[in-house]
Amino acid sequence: MKEIAITEIEQIRIGNAQNREAATGCTVILCEEGATAGVDVRGGGPASRETQLLNPLAAADKIHAVLLSGGSAFGLDAAGGVMKYLEERGVGVDTGVAKVPLVCTSCLFDLQIGSKDIRPDREMGYRACSGDYRDGNYGAGTGATVGKFKGTEFMMKTGIGSFALQEGPLKIGAIAAVNALGDVFDYQTGEQIAGLLNEEKNGLRSTEKEMYRQCLEVRDLFTGNTTLGAIITNADFDKAQMNKIAAMAQNGYARSIRPVHTQADGDTVYALSTGEVTADLNAVGTLAAQVMAEAIRSAVFSAEPAYGLPCAADFMKKGNV
């Protein structure tokens, strides 16, 4: 099995757009030929649009894009720009009156470090469709942070990351915009690599331990977090099976983020298939968890310090990660 770039999966295009001053952005996964897709939502505070299309009981067999956006629920507006881009190219479900592009969207909360008044909108969504994809402080990862249990003073900068593998003709990859309440761990070593800063801000401490110490206090953490991810594969599965793969990919979240799936997160995983290769569902679902964990790791180590917040690379230099 060899590592490949996420952009090497055929029939998929990925683009970023961002406003660095406002600390927000969006990332679009375009599948203009249509992709069979599923979703798994486990966080208590999701902001989403058209995700119900992916219910196996819904009529739509395929979708045309997934948009991961900042801006909290305000960022859902960016989907209109993606729809405009696809409509201009004749992409969508033919209703006999117009072709309607199906764009599933989820948003994370990044309003606390940049501008609370500037969010991804139709213009930014449209621009992302022609943009290039990069890991780091780009797209939906522009304003992403982790370790927020003690407030913004002790959180760290993260970003968006990707990872993909190929085994014979099978290709599978993941994208993750990591914006969790909790901490991030290297899934292979168990080492904490990002999260809640200590009081001196020269190292890390455990969100779980801090949470347990204050477990008798009822805290309003608000839904200001959310890790958004997407699995992309050329394996051929139906919508119900893609929902299962999205659910199995959540194991990548659980291996890498603690705590995860809280009421203060909107943790969501999409799964898209271009349907070119016959493969085993259990094997692909297991791989989905692995590539998701790797994408989360990539989101941490590709991030750069920004907005006065340190990143994992800063602590690696000091030997504290």
Side-chain angles (χ1 to χ4, degrees):
M1 190 169 294
K2 67 176 182 179
E3 182 179 346
I4 60 173
I6 191 77
T7 52
E8 292 182 52
I9 301 176
E10 292 83 2
Q11 299 185 40
I12 296 287
R13 288 197 301 111
I14 309 169
N16 288 330
Q18 53 277 322
N19 182 324
R20 291 192 176 280
E21 185 176 347
T24 194
C26 59
T27 299
V28 65
I29 304 166
L30 295 171
C31 32
E32 296 183 31
E33 299 299 319
T36 306
V39 68
D40 189 273
V41 181
R42 298 196 186 179
S48 59
R49 166 174 164 164
E50 296 278 52
T51 55
Q52 277 300 105
L53 288 173
L54 306 184
N55 185 318
L57 298 179
D61 292 326
K62 295 185 177 183
I63 62 170
H64 305 103
V66 166
L67 179 66
L68 311 178
S69 179
S72 189
F74 294 111
L76 295 172
D77 285 348
V82 179
M83 291 186 71
K84 178 183 177 184
Y85 179 91
L86 292 171
E87 183 185 24
E88 289 175 351
R89 286 152 181 80
V91 175
V93 175
D94 191 347
T95 65
V97 178
K99 287 190 175 181
V100 181
L102 303 182
V103 180
C104 296
T105 307
S106 287
C107 297
L108 55 79
F109 189 100
D110 56 9
L111 304 179
Q112 75 273 51
I113 64 169
S115 170
K116 64 181 178 61
D117 300 315
I118 299 175
R119 311 107 178 190
D121 55 13
R122 287 174 60 93
E123 183 277 330
M124 186 181 287
Y126 187 93
R127 181 157 44 92
C129 294
S130 299
D132 294 327
Y133 176 78
R134 293 181 64 182
D135 291 343
N137 297 14
Y138 300 95
T142 304
T145 54
V146 293
K148 288 170 270 195
F149 185 73
K150 291 285 189 178
T152 58
E153 182 181 358
F154 296 103
M155 66 188 187
M156 279 180 65
K157 186 75 185 73
T158 49
I160 194 167
S162 65
F163 186 84
L165 292 170
Q166 180 173 0
E167 175 66 30
L170 173 67
K171 296 180 180 180
I172 183 169
I175 289 178
V178 180
N179 191 59
L181 169 71
D183 306 321
V184 184
F185 296 80
D186 186 317
Y187 81 103
Q188 292 181 318
T189 66
E191 178 186 14
Q192 185 176 347
I193 55 177
L196 184 64
L197 297 175
N198 62 22
E199 291 290 344
E200 296 75 25
K201 300 181 183 178
N202 60 2
L204 303 174
R205 54 181 158 166
S206 167
T207 293
E208 286 183 314
K209 290 181 180 178
E210 294 297 321
M211 186 177 286
Y212 299 155
R213 288 192 186 103
Q214 300 177 49
C215 66
L216 298 181
E217 300 178 22
V218 179
R219 298 172 60 88
D220 180 13
L221 297 172
F222 69 92
T223 52
N225 310 288
T226 300
T227 296
L228 302 177
I231 296 295
I232 305 167
T233 182
N234 62 357
D236 184 17
F237 297 111
D238 63 26
K239 190 157 60 167
Q241 292 169 319
M242 292 309 295
N243 274 275
K244 179 60 177 176
I245 287 171
M248 293 179 75
Q250 288 274 13
N251 293 330
Y253 280 25
R255 293 171 189 172
S256 303
I257 302 170
R258 299 202 300 265
V260 70
H261 305 144
T262 73
Q263 284 294 93
D265 291 283
D267 297 334
T268 299
V269 175
Y270 290 94
L272 299 91
S273 164
T274 60
E276 298 173 303
V277 177
T278 299
D280 178 72
L281 174 64
N282 293 313
V284 173
T286 302
L287 276 171
Q290 179 181 339
V291 295
M292 182 59 73
E294 290 280 6
I296 291 169
R297 187 177 186 277
S298 171
V300 168
F301 287 120
S302 63
E304 299 174 354
Y307 316 111
L309 302 174
C311 67
D314 293 332
F315 291 105
M316 287 179 67
K317 294 172 185 175
K318 298 174 185 176
N320 292 329
V321 170

